[in-house]
Amino acid sequence: MAGGNRKRIRIAASLLSADFSRLAEEVAVCEKGGADWLHVDVMDGQFVPNLTFGAKIIETVRKLTRLPLDVHLMVVQPEKYFDDFAAAGATGLTIHVEAAPHLHRQMQRIRELGCSPGVALNPSTGLEAVREIVPDIDLLLVMTVNPGFGGQKFIPQMLAKISRARDMLDAAGSGATLEVDGGISRDTIAPAHDAGADTFVAGNAVFTARDPRAEIAALRDAVTVRV
Ligand code: DX5
Ligand code: ZN
């Protein structure tokens, strides 16, 4: 087993599944429920077949909470948005390697803007694509679904990839966060943690729960309470 309770875990509640007519309440529920981060999914209808939100929502959410805003850019030419998203109050900016041929430059630029640089990998993309820039990242996001929609099923074969990602970060002496995103539930969070992930994005699990606060606690318990 590569994982165990090596580090404190983080739950990043994904606003994609929130009720936007009650955004302030949904954000408050996450905060009161003990979410560590809020995950903001930016989609452009090109990199992924869905369209969501941009700087205006980041700015709005920023005013509603002090929680870190973990912004996940599923867009082509992500660099076009860095300045606006940083100014809007993003804490971390995570871009997809598949959309960023000049990843090293983009990581530096995100840091210059005062944000934490992260890189995401689609399920079909190998870890080799990011090995050379491990020293430049604060976060590695292993997608556990094909990005674009909430409520999809966790892809089990990603567990071996998470484990290899953990080994890659450890071998490089990196303290980067290893985040997983997609299909995280009470059932999948423990295997993902055991494989070595420390930060878990959860959208559907949290916002379709009758009691989202209790669900955040249940997700955390599923990895921290072991008998
Ligand atoms: C999917 C997004 C995810 C999404 C996860 O493309 O990147 O962040 O909100 O949602 P669930 O937890 O419902 O799979
Ligand atoms: Zn996401």
Side-chain angles (χ1 to χ4, degrees), residues 14 16 39-43 70-74 96 141 143 147 179 181-182 201:
S14 171
L16 185 62
H39 184 84
V40 183
D41 287 303
V42 177
M43 305 185 189
D70 173 36
V71 179
H72 177 193
L73 285 79
M74 286 158 277
H96 271 262
L141 170 53
M143 290 304 299
E179 183 176 55
D181 183 8
V201 177

Side-chain angles (χ1 to χ4, degrees), residues 40-185:
V40 183
D41 287 303
V42 177
M43 305 185 189
D44 67 352
Q46 290 194 67
F47 182 68
V48 289
N50 195 7
L51 195 58
T52 58
F53 27 75
K56 179 75 182 162
I57 290 286
I58 296 170
E59 198 184 332
T60 302
V61 176
R62 181 70 290 159
K63 289 181 187 144
L64 296 171
T65 181
R66 297 177 68 174
L67 289 177
L69 301 184
D70 173 36
V71 179
H72 177 193
L73 285 79
M74 286 158 277
V75 303
V76 298
Q77 296 185 277
E79 63 279 5
K80 287 201 298 193
Y81 307 95
F82 292 170
D83 290 63
D84 285 354
F85 288 8
T91 309
L93 294 177
T94 297
I95 65 174
H96 271 262
V97 58
E98 302 86 1
H102 305 291
L103 205 47
H104 178 266
R105 177 188 299 153
Q106 311 308 12
M107 295 295 105
Q108 313 305 320
R109 181 65 189 143
I110 291 170
R111 207 180 285 287
E112 271 170 27
L113 289 167
C115 297
S116 295
V119 63
L121 297 169
N122 280 339
S124 61
T125 303
L127 291 169
E128 211 46 53
V130 296
R131 185 181 300 280
E132 303 303 327
I133 50 109
V134 164
D136 304 292
I137 63 175
D138 286 352
L139 180 146
L140 177 61
L141 170 53
V142 173
M143 290 304 299
T144 42
V145 298
N146 289 293
F149 302 94
Q152 301 184 78
K153 200 173 164 307
F154 184 91
I155 301 171
Q157 77 214 61
M158 291 302 107
L159 289 172
K161 184 176 178 183
I162 297 164
S163 171
R164 288 195 305 275
R166 175 81 270 154
D167 290 346
M168 181 179 77
L169 293 177
D170 290 351
S174 168
T177 293
L178 179 51
E179 183 176 55
V180 288
D181 183 8
I184 295 298
S185 68

Side-chain angles (χ1 to χ4, degrees), residues 188-206:
T188 56
I189 193 168
H193 178 253
D194 287 347
D198 52 66
T199 299
F200 306 87
V201 177
N204 211 52
V206 169

